[in-house]
Amino acid sequence: MATIEDIGVSAAINILSAIIFLLAFAFLRLQPINDRVYFPKWYLKGARQSPSHGGAFVRKFVNLDMRSYLKFLSWMPAALQMPEDELISHAGLDSAVYLRIYLIGLKIFVPITILAFVVLVPVNWTNDTLEGMKVEHSDIDKLSISNIPFGSKRFIAHLVMAYAFTFWTCYVLLREYEIVSTMRLRFLASEKRRPDQFTVLVRNIPPDPDESIGELAEHFFLVNHPDHYLTQQVVYNANKLAKMVKEKKKMQNWLDYYQLKYERNTTTRPTVKTGFLGCFGSKVDAIEHYTSEIERIEKEEAEEREKIVKDPKSVVPAAFVSFRSRWGAAVCAQTQQTSNPTVWLTEWAPEPRDVYWDNLSIPIVHLTVRRLIIAVAFFFLNFFYVIPITFVQSLANIEGIEKAVPFLKPVIEMDTIKSFIQGFLPGIALKIFLILLPSILMFMSKVEGLTSVSSLERRSASKYYIFLFFNVFLGSIIAGSALEQLQSYLHQSANQIPRTIGVAIPMKATFFITYVMVDGWAGVAGEILRLKPLVIFHLKNFFLVKTEKDREEAMDPGSIGFDSNEPQIQLYFLLGLVYAVVTPFLLPFILIFFGLAYVVYRHQEAMRKDTLERAREPGFDLKTYLASAYIHPVFKGDDDDEKFSMADEVEADQVLVATKRQSRRNTPVPSRHNGSESPSLPEIVNDQRL
């Protein structure tokens, strides 16, 4: 069980790590060679030029201006001073709202921390209940509610504070909801048109023997939404083609690399092995090999494109349907289209770049089965993750470690080593076990069949939080309490065990303190260093970049990381609100996390790439704007675009709808095969017939 000394050692290690990360960032961001890593947004907007374009050779890589190093922390006030409206314009409304979550944490926990330390800490400290109980405890635990005797009137203070903290939290949330709602309304009022505002995604379009999917979709919406329907784009199963395009791009990168290598040294032709991972097989000329591979893929790609055009089976029973107004799209997206609730399913279309094309080809009937399988898999993932969680908790139990490795007992008993094990090792071990979890949960969400990247992130975030709640929060409390109080359980009656558990749970705050310092202090400070984008950019810049366009593609503006960061924030809110009354000593560590995270992520969001599309041209042609918005990316920029473009717009005053159905031509009545009911024509049709 961690003591004050152990917490002090852990705090020193994590504070030192955070300072090193921040100083490394402050130094690296000043170097010209890293300018595109830490300021990608400005380059993508054309508002910044590389400082390596002129001057001495050394200045292209190293900043020799000593005066700039005197202001190496200037990024902090610059990030905090950026007005919120400018941040919204620069990084988007979602980034501004995301940052307000950290502000909410500060608004909630600053008053709670002050009140808890003024009222609850003295009430808890001025007791000696734990001294008379047969439970393992440390000096920190004397600050918790476990130090209050059973039936004491002092619990009134904790009860009153619990209500006060709850009401304050609800009040802050209410005020923030009002602020965010106002921000959203203002943003929508000032925001220009986007394709997703006029478009719905229609799935499970029933087959018709007389019409193709595109013709059927056009006919259906011309009849059922004659005043608002504009155009439609069917969805093609281009997953195989997308893999070919990706493979060709990969081969092209290798070809560019070897050509650049040959240009630097024309005396020797580069070679490559054709076997596994380029380590086995016969040696061949690298340039000729990749040139032939690209030609082969291009031939297969052309054949696959032709197959998609001609094969009706390549058309997915889904379509992006666009309307003349936002109101028309809203009506269609939120209403049932036919008496059969299983066909013509409509939902708001995601933003074109947000579409996850791989899942659009999944039949709608498979989705329920997929979600059931993933739910079962997620249950077992939670269940089996109890094993590493229990292992992490065992690291905090010195007695258990000494029994497992008795020959290390002299080393473990050293004060510094003991403090390191109990104060730092459990937190870093848990952090390591959770590194791969977001990727696993994202893969599971993709298997479920969600059709947009944002929905994938939301689903992954919900899974991640459920996992953190059951394994990190409840699992750590139960497993840790059981391991620490094992001796007490063995020497007391069964009816005393629940009371022992109740006393032990508040004392698990020491473990969460170590985890918050590792994950919330050093971890957040490490985020600003952007180590992964830094390494990847320089590798690409050295091996692959040949043109300015290549250099722009090598830049990574990054993203919020909603699927992993947002559940982390929820966990800290949970820990703070749960332990605010029972163990107030945890609150300052939560406060430092929210303050540091707000500064770090505000700076990062100021550097992000704007993800908003804006159309500022007067007299905007909506049909032209929407015509190619939802074409699969592999078809864009090719000569075959017209084959995949949306159908031509039908004149607004056309009443009779042309159809290929044999049963009745030029009629609003649907085919008996499509399982839908269409309303009768408007009265104006009867007037025209008269």
Side-chain angles (χ1 to χ4, degrees), residues 402-526:
E402 291 177 347
K403 289 181 180 180
V405 284
F407 59 90
L408 292 179
K409 184 175 181 179
V411 178
I412 294 175
E413 288 296 331
M414 296 174 60
D415 292 340
T416 304
I417 302 299
K418 187 175 182 180
S419 297
F420 175 81
I421 292 175
Q422 294 191 133
F424 180 76
L425 192 58
I428 193 66
L430 181 58
K431 177 72 174 176
I432 292 173
F433 278 121
L434 296 178
I435 285 178
L436 296 178
L437 187 62
S439 299
I440 296 173
L441 297 179
M442 177 59 75
F443 172 77
M444 296 173 71
S445 299
K446 290 178 179 179
V447 174
E448 286 189 74
L450 301 174
T451 57
S452 67
V453 177
S454 57
S455 61
L456 289 172
E457 291 182 341
R458 289 194 299 269
R459 185 64 60 88
S460 298
S462 63
K463 287 187 177 71
Y464 195 18
Y465 177 71
I466 292 172
F467 183 92
L468 292 177
F469 177 77
F470 282 103
N471 282 277
V472 176
F473 181 67
L474 293 181
S476 298
I477 288 176
I478 296 173
S481 300
L483 290 173
E484 289 177 357
Q485 308 302 330
L486 185 59
Q487 292 297 324
S488 300
Y489 296 156
L490 298 176
H491 297 87
Q492 64 183 200
S493 60
N495 60 353
Q496 291 295 321
I497 292 179
R499 179 176 295 183
T500 302
I501 294 176
V503 173
I505 286 176
M507 295 190 292
K508 285 306 298 174
T510 54
F511 166 75
F512 291 118
I513 288 173
T514 64
Y515 178 71
V516 169
M517 287 190 291
V518 171
D519 184 62
W521 293 11
V524 169

Side-chain angles (χ1 to χ4, degrees), residues 313-378:
K313 295 182 180 179
S314 298
V315 180
V316 178
F320 290 99
V321 180
S322 298
F323 295 82
R324 300 178 186 277
S325 65
R326 296 175 178 86
W327 185 85
V331 170
C332 181
Q334 301 176 55
T335 56
Q336 182 175 313
Q337 301 303 306
T338 72
S339 59
N340 185 351
T342 63
V343 296
W344 297 102
L345 305 178
T346 58
E347 60 184 87
W348 277 110
E351 201 267 345
R353 290 174 296 177
D354 192 36
V355 177
Y356 190 70
W357 295 95
D358 292 351
N359 283 351
L360 284 176
S361 59
I362 299 175
I364 199 77
V365 294
H366 294 181
L367 296 181
T368 303
V369 178
R370 284 169 169 260
R371 288 168 185 170
L372 178 61
I373 293 174
I374 293 300
V376 175
F378 181 64

Side-chain angles (χ1 to χ4, degrees), residues 247-263:
E247 180 67 16
K248 186 178 73 172
K249 184 177 181 180
K250 177 182 176 182
M251 294 297 175
Q252 186 64 50
N253 286 338
W254 279 113
L255 178 61
D256 292 343
Y257 164 69
Y258 283 112
Q259 286 178 338
L260 182 62
K261 183 178 180 180
Y262 180 66
E263 290 174 1

Side-chain angles (χ1 to χ4, degrees), residues 1 129-130 133-137 141 144-148 150 481 484-485 489 496-508 582-583:
M1 180 175 292
T129 303
L130 290 176
M133 296 183 66
K134 296 180 180 180
V135 294
E136 295 290 334
H137 67 277
D141 301 322
S144 71
I145 198 174
S146 299
N147 203 32
I148 304 296
F150 178 75
S481 300
E484 289 177 357
Q485 308 302 330
Y489 296 156
Q496 291 295 321
I497 292 179
R499 179 176 295 183
T500 302
I501 294 176
V503 173
I505 286 176
M507 295 190 292
K508 285 306 298 174
V582 297
T583 311

